[in-house]
Amino acid sequence: MSQLLLIRHGENDYTRKGKLAGWTPGVHLNDVGQAQAQALAEKLAHSPIKAIYSSPLERAIETALPLAKAKGLTIHKRSDVGEVRYGEWTGKSLKALARTKLWQVVQKQPSAMQFPDGETLRDVQSRAVNEIEKIAAAHPKDMVAIFSHGDIIKLVLAHYLGMPLDMFQRLAVNTASISVLQRQGSMPLVMKVNDQVLVKKEKTETKETGKQKETGKQVNKGNR
């Protein structure tokens, strides 16, 4: 029996401001995201994780690092669990995109969606599920952690739930959340969805600018 922990990366300034980072390079965790990554490592401290896989994007790798260090494991990068290639939508705010005609396609008929100069969601789901299957086959009796992105995890969960692609937006996968797939023979089971670690957001003023900045303080510990 294999268990796959699908973990969304922690908060960054793109998620905080409601913008699509996509494959933009140099998107790092902010202070809250770093606190979330530490909280994830503590939550999973006693879990028998044998391998760690991750999207190659910085925000995913940085979320995986505390757990990898705690477990003494290498992070294996896998592009096929990397973020959706949003094409011309990359870097734009969700509020602005919500005013476009294509937004309704994404929300109501995502199986028909191709992002301008980017991927189709059908192709994204296919490549992500194929990678999950490869990882599961490599670890038939192990628990492994896979650090990825919100839409990727939702698309994977929809597949294993037998949910039509056009309904995947009904799933919620928040930053620093854990969803769990279990394989018993050929039967995939979705054991958990969107189990979040909680950090307390605190606002502090920076000496350089005098502006308020959100920082994260861990709230939950262990397996609670």
Side-chain angles (χ1 to χ4, degrees):
M1 179 182 71
S2 63
Q3 276 195 314
L4 310 178
L5 311 184
L6 308 179
I7 304 172
R8 186 181 175 189
H9 62 76
E11 183 184 291
N12 55 78
D13 287 345
Y14 276 75
T15 57
R16 185 174 65 83
K17 295 176 182 178
K19 295 170 63 179
L20 285 179
W23 283 74
T24 302
V27 178
H28 299 281
L29 298 182
N30 57 23
D31 288 344
V32 172
Q34 291 171 15
Q36 289 174 327
Q38 292 293 336
L40 280 166
E42 291 203 16
K43 183 181 181 72
L44 297 171
H46 301 294
S47 299
I49 293 169
K50 301 299 183 184
I52 296 176
Y53 294 84
S54 178
S55 156
L57 293 167
E58 292 96 335
R59 56 195 184 275
I61 296 292
E62 290 170 4
T63 308
L65 272 173
L67 180 63
K69 289 179 180 178
K71 296 290 185 181
L73 294 171
T74 299
I75 299 172
H76 303 283
K77 299 177 184 178
R78 294 292 185 269
S79 294
D80 283 344
V81 293
E83 181 61 286
V84 178
R85 289 175 172 83
Y86 293 111
E88 294 175 10
W89 281 29
T90 301
K92 295 185 178 180
S93 74
L94 296 178
K95 286 185 178 179
L97 292 170
R99 295 193 290 268
T100 67
K101 291 181 179 179
L102 278 179
W103 183 261
Q104 295 302 315
V105 179
V106 171
Q107 299 303 316
K108 296 179 179 179
Q109 195 185 2
S111 62
M113 180 63 183
Q114 173 154 14
F115 294 96
D117 199 28
E119 292 182 286
T120 69
L121 286 173
R122 296 189 308 279
D123 287 343
V124 175
Q125 186 181 51
S126 178
R127 53 111 161 155
V129 169
N130 286 342
E131 187 60 47
I132 294 297
E133 287 293 307
K134 291 177 186 177
I135 293 171
H139 300 276
K141 297 181 180 180
D142 297 333
M143 176 183 287
V144 301
I146 304 168
F147 289 80
S148 188
H149 306 268
D151 280 343
I152 300 298
I153 295 173
K154 286 162 61 177
L155 287 164
V156 168
L157 290 172
H159 170 81
Y160 287 107
L161 286 167
M163 177 185 292
L165 176 55
D166 285 340
M167 297 175 68
F168 97 103
Q169 296 284 26
R170 298 185 183 190
L171 295 169
V173 174
N174 296 96
T175 55
S177 66
I178 304 169
S179 299
V180 181
L181 293 176
Q182 183 171 294
R183 297 297 294 265
Q184 293 180 319
S186 61
M187 174 65 75
L189 300 173
V190 177
M191 305 298 291
K192 188 179 294 185
V193 175
N194 200 34
D195 180 20
Q196 300 175 67
V197 299
L198 301 176
V199 298
K200 182 179 180 182
K201 295 182 180 181
E202 298 178 343
K203 289 187 177 181
T204 59
E205 287 190 358
T206 61
K207 292 181 180 179
E208 294 81 3
T209 65
K211 293 182 179 179
Q212 287 192 331
K213 175 183 177 182
E214 280 192 348
T215 58
K217 181 179 180 181
Q218 186 173 329
V219 174
N220 58 317
K221 296 183 179 180
N223 290 315
R224 290 180 294 177

